[in-house]
Amino acid sequence: MIIVGVETEQNQRYFTESMAELSKLTNTASGEVVFTLTQKRPQVDRQTIIGKGKLQELIQQADAHEADLIIFNHEMPPRQSQLVSEAVGIPIIDRVQLILDIFAMRARSKEGKLQVELAQLEYLLPRLAGQGKSLSRLGGGIGTRGPGETKLETDRRHIRNKILGVKRELKAVEAHRARNRQKRQSSEIFQIGLIGYTNAGKSTILNLLTQADTYSKDQLFATLDPLTKKWRFAEGFEITVTDTVGFIQDLPTQLIDAFHSTLEESQSMDLLLHVVDASSPDRILQEQTVLQLMAELKMEEMPVLTVYNKADQIEPALFTPSLFPNVLISAQSADGKEKLVQAIKQQLLELMVPYTLFVPSQDGQTLSALRRQTLVLKEHFVEEKNGYEVKGFAKSTSKWLNS
């Protein structure tokens, strides 16, 4: 496969990182990059992205390397894609289609599969005209997962009907998710959400805290479906931790729209853990990408603890954090969990409200409930009253604050 990118005045600041990421995305989709073609222009060519001279070079390189697919690092309108494909004689896909393809590979739950299918169908709908022959030659592999070849070759009406059907199914699943979310909120459970750039180590941290045994691998988009697990502190306090899909530079708008309900999981959290790969050379850019997407999703006012992960791959003394509050850990090391738990606990004390309650010694049920539903810091037996004075912290909405 050949990957192609044009460095323009708009993208020059992050062009190199973006091309390296495209190569990683191709590998994640089980493709092999045999050649990288780049070009500098004030702006992309309106017809072919890369202009006539570079197009000839692309034709030669595709022939020399016997490439079976070309991936552009830009979202391509249908006409551009068609012109380049006809000139080179092999299928063309863009960055968006590649990301959608990876999502199709990763989706496990019914909702995840429906969301990916919706995003793919909405992306392909305007690209149906004149694409049938070119796309049908793909046969299998990158760019052909998801809706499938037969759907691509049907008429627009059928695709639109299919989109409506998927949206209806999604609505039902979303309603179920919303009910679960409401249930969690009304039960006063403190909720933590994991967010961050793809491959920063969110799933590893979920496993570290909850023993969830979630799929975690050094791959882009290893996690797609949101997963909520219960985590119990040593003191007995129970909270939930939710892992979500990783963000990425230029995350396709089709995916943001389609994964609206999934991203809503993060919007209802009490605390967000923004997981950052401290060893990444593109760390600052990745942080900015996540913060920008959080702003788009109206999440910028939410409490956030930045977890700088992969400390084992850097020199901690030379590391300068850029987001606060933060903690630097290695999810793979022995003391990583302890440092993370202490940092989370510190955030909880700032977000929650202190209380003092007296519980009669015969009321073991209330004592047990307090340990589960609040962060108990001190239990003192008062002999003359024959009961316990309990001091701790609870959510501001907690019933214990009115007891």
Side-chain angles (χ1 to χ4, degrees):
M1 281 146 203
I2 293 175
I3 58 172
V4 181
V6 178
E7 184 180 342
T8 64
E9 290 165 0
Q10 285 80 31
N11 70 10
Q12 61 184 4
R13 193 167 58 88
Y14 58 86
F15 177 73
T16 307
E17 293 87 351
S18 183
M19 286 301 291
E21 197 168 75
L22 184 68
S23 181
K24 271 190 192 174
L25 285 165
T26 306
N27 292 336
T28 300
S30 307
E32 185 190 349
V33 177
V34 292
F35 187 76
T36 301
L37 184 77
T38 59
Q39 183 186 31
K40 271 191 180 184
R41 295 174 64 97
Q43 56 190 46
V44 296
D45 183 78
R46 284 184 181 181
Q47 284 196 307
T48 59
I49 301 273
I50 51 176
K52 287 180 182 174
K54 276 286 175 186
L55 184 59
Q56 288 308 310
E57 188 185 336
L58 180 60
I59 293 167
Q60 289 164 8
Q61 294 295 347
D63 192 45
H65 291 90
E66 297 180 351
D68 56 3
L69 184 67
I70 293 169
I71 305 170
F72 275 76
N73 198 27
H74 311 264
E75 185 169 351
M76 296 174 79
R79 184 72 185 138
Q80 277 182 339
S81 181
Q82 194 180 342
L83 282 169
V84 178
S85 184
E86 284 172 0
V88 184
I90 58 174
I92 305 291
I93 66 168
D94 60 20
R95 183 188 179 92
V96 176
Q97 202 169 343
L98 178 63
I99 292 171
L100 290 172
D101 189 81
I102 293 167
F103 272 56
M105 287 169 63
R106 295 275 181 264
R108 292 288 177 270
S109 70
K110 182 185 176 184
E111 184 182 15
K113 287 174 181 174
L114 285 169
Q115 286 171 327
V116 173
E117 185 170 8
L118 177 61
Q120 287 184 311
L121 288 167
E122 289 185 333
Y123 177 77
L124 291 166
L125 182 60
R127 290 163 171 80
L128 287 174
Q131 291 281 316
K133 191 180 172 190
S134 157
L135 286 165
S136 66
R137 283 208 302 272
L138 284 171
I142 294 178
T144 63
R145 299 181 184 98
E149 193 177 85
T150 54
K151 291 192 185 77
L152 297 178
E153 290 166 350
T154 54
D155 61 11
R156 288 171 184 268
R157 192 184 306 161
H158 178 74
I159 297 290
R160 285 198 187 99
N161 288 341
K162 183 71 181 164
I163 287 172
L164 286 171
V166 172
K167 279 183 174 175
R168 269 196 299 272
E169 279 190 77
L170 263 177
K171 234 173 194 167
V173 182
E174 280 171 20
H176 177 68
R177 186 186 288 283
R179 283 194 296 274
N180 283 348
R181 193 159 53 237
Q182 215 168 2
K183 213 174 176 181
R184 284 202 301 270
Q185 284 169 326
S186 62
S187 67
E188 300 177 7
I189 293 174
F190 195 94
Q191 299 174 79
I192 289 179
L194 292 164
I195 60 161
Y197 209 78
T198 181
N199 203 30
K202 294 183 298 300
S203 297
T204 307
I205 284 170
L206 180 74
N207 291 339
L208 184 74
L209 295 175
T210 68
Q211 285 81 49
D213 198 24
T214 311
Y215 179 75
S216 61
K217 209 168 180 184
D218 186 17
Q219 285 181 336
L220 302 183
F221 300 120
T223 302
L224 179 55
D225 301 305
L227 179 70
T228 299
K229 288 285 174 184
K230 194 178 279 186
W231 172 35
R232 181 178 288 175
F233 277 64
E235 296 85 350
F237 182 39
E238 291 179 351
I239 63 178
T240 62
V241 185
T242 301
D243 189 13
T244 56
V245 62
F247 294 155
I248 195 167
Q249 212 185 105
D250 303 324
L251 189 69
T253 51
Q254 293 91 341
L255 281 174
I256 294 178
D257 292 343
F259 281 77
H260 183 71
S261 70
T262 305
L263 296 167
E264 270 182 355
E265 288 287 306
S266 301
Q267 290 171 322
S268 63
M269 298 294 151
D270 297 299
L271 172 67
L272 292 175
L273 300 186
H274 175 188
V275 185
V276 178
D277 179 354
S279 69
S280 172
D282 312 321
R283 172 173 67 86
I284 303 296
L285 180 68
Q286 292 177 0
E287 286 176 355
Q288 288 169 352
T289 300
V290 173
L291 294 177
Q292 191 182 328
L293 280 161
M294 281 176 67
E296 281 177 35
L297 295 162
K298 298 181 174 57
M299 291 161 61
E300 68 265 50
E301 298 300 319
M302 294 178 69
V304 179
L305 169 66
T306 301
V307 181
Y308 286 108
N309 188 28
K310 307 189 185 181
D312 53 318
Q313 296 176 30
I314 60 165
E315 187 57 60
L318 302 175
F319 180 75
T320 308
S322 43
L323 298 175
F324 300 87
N326 64 64
V327 60
L328 175 64
I329 68 156
S330 165
Q332 308 288 353
S333 71
D335 67 339
K337 182 176 181 179
E338 197 180 320
K339 283 174 77 175
L340 180 58
V341 171
Q342 286 310 312
I344 292 172
K345 203 175 278 186
Q346 184 58 47
Q347 289 304 303
L348 294 184
L349 297 181
E350 290 178 25
L351 293 168
M352 296 164 85
V353 181
Y355 72 85
T356 303
L357 278 178
F358 178 76
V359 183
S361 58
Q362 66 269 26
D363 194 357
Q365 206 172 346
T366 297
L367 200 58
S368 175
L370 272 172
R371 287 171 187 151
R372 280 196 323 274
Q373 295 168 18
T374 73
L375 182 55
V376 173
L377 297 184
K378 196 176 177 187
E379 282 180 41
H380 171 62
F381 185 71
V382 185
E383 225 170 292
E384 55 272 25
K385 288 186 178 179
N386 191 30
Y388 293 88
E389 186 183 72
V390 182
K391 290 187 176 184
F393 283 76
K395 273 183 79 170
S396 58
T397 54
S398 176
K399 63 183 178 187
W400 301 111
L401 299 177
N402 304 315
S403 299

